[in-house]
């Protein structure tokens, strides 16, 4: 079985998950931005992973653009956000990122990292505004998956855990 992992990561969490998946499968990792479909279509399995920024999965446009060329291949997507796993989050992400021809592709969500002070200027501004907006909410209206943003604020957090990749790796190794 041959396979490739495409990954787009700004702050390192998706890259860490890609490396763990690579350790378990032996697949090489290529940065999605630098991926060439002529190379990618040589593999039986394609895994695409990326960070979640304002509910958008980084690099998903590569799949949208090339989905016809990848017909018949085993494809899986993983994405990495700061919020803890929640069915509602996965549902929102799937609706926003995996419409039409991407709709049936398995999508896995992993918790990543949060480091407000280490963020690039524009990202920091957006995230500070988001935390401020959450802190103004009535506490009873703050959803369980929004709470870690309030608790983290400017604390550096790393929620990555290798165990999260198990279902994806199992799926890839099956069949
Ligand atoms: C501009 C920006 C927007 C973000 N939006 C979300 C979001 O919508 N949901 C979420 O769970 N995390 C969000 N995060 C947190 C990132 O998903 C988290 O830091 C993750 O680890 C990013 O992946 P990476 O480390 O591979 O870059 C956001 C972070 C930034 C900088």
């Amino acid at each position: 079985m041959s396979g490739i992992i495409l990954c787009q990561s700004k702050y390192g969490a998706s890259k860490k998950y890609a490396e763990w998946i690579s350790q378990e499968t032996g697949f090489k990792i290529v940065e999605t931005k630098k991926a060439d479909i002529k190379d990618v279509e040589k593999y039986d399995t394609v895994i695409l992973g990326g960070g979640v920024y304002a509910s958008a999965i980084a690099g998903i446009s590569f799949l949208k653009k090339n989905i016809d060329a990848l017909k018949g291949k085993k494809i899986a997507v993983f994405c990495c956000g700061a919020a803890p796993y929640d069915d509602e989050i996965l549902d929102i992400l799937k609706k926003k990122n995996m419409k039409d021809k991407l709709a049936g592709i398995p999508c896995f969500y992993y918790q990543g990292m949060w480091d407000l002070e280490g963020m690039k200027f524009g990202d920091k501004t957006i995230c500070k505004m988001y935390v401020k907006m959450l802190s103004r909410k009535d506490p009873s209206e703050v959803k369980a998956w929004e709470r870690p943003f309030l608790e983290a604020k400017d604390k550096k957090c790393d929620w990555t855990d290798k165990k999260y990749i198990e279902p994806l790796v199992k799926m890839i190794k099956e069949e």
Side-chain angles (χ1 to χ4, degrees), residues 1-127:
M1 180 184 64
S2 69
I4 186 166
I5 304 163
L6 306 178
C7 179
Q8 201 66 48
S9 175
K10 251 187 191 178
Y11 296 103
S14 315
K15 189 164 174 256
K16 204 161 157 191
Y17 283 110
E19 282 163 358
W20 281 328
I21 295 165
S22 175
Q23 279 168 17
E24 295 301 315
T25 58
F27 299 167
K28 73 167 177 177
I29 304 169
V30 171
E31 207 185 325
T32 313
K33 258 194 238 160
K34 296 181 183 157
D36 180 347
I37 186 62
K38 290 278 166 262
D39 177 39
V40 176
E41 64 188 5
K42 289 182 200 148
Y43 296 88
D44 305 320
T45 301
V46 178
I47 301 172
L48 182 131
V52 172
Y53 314 107
S55 300
I57 302 173
I60 199 75
S61 57
F62 181 90
L63 268 194
K64 284 185 194 150
K65 192 174 156 205
N66 296 300
I67 194 67
D68 290 335
L70 298 174
K71 213 172 171 185
K73 302 201 180 287
K74 193 184 266 189
I75 305 175
V77 169
F78 73 86
C79 57
C80 207
Y85 178 84
D86 189 286
D87 288 342
E88 189 188 351
I89 291 182
L90 190 54
D91 213 44
I92 293 169
L93 291 173
K94 278 186 185 167
K95 281 193 182 124
K96 180 158 179 183
N97 295 274
M98 309 205 36
K99 284 185 268 197
D100 307 321
K101 287 181 180 173
L102 304 195
I105 296 173
C107 179
F108 299 83
Y109 177 89
Y110 308 143
Q111 198 174 12
M113 297 172 181
W114 180 258
D115 177 15
L116 207 48
E117 289 316 311
M119 283 178 194
K120 292 174 182 123
F121 180 75
D123 286 352
K124 199 194 287 187
T125 311
I126 294 168
C127 289

Side-chain angles (χ1 to χ4, degrees), residues 103-153:
I105 296 173
C107 179
F108 299 83
Y109 177 89
Y110 308 143
Q111 198 174 12
M113 297 172 181
W114 180 258
D115 177 15
L116 207 48
E117 289 316 311
M119 283 178 194
K120 292 174 182 123
F121 180 75
D123 286 352
K124 199 194 287 187
T125 311
I126 294 168
C127 289
K128 275 190 172 167
M129 273 165 52
Y130 178 63
V131 172
K132 206 169 192 178
M133 184 273 290
L134 285 181
S135 65
R136 284 186 185 142
K137 263 189 171 184
D138 185 312
S140 65
E141 281 171 19
V142 175
K143 294 182 178 166
W145 56 265
E146 290 172 327
R147 246 171 254 142
F149 290 97
L150 281 175
E151 284 154 11
K153 283 187 190 154

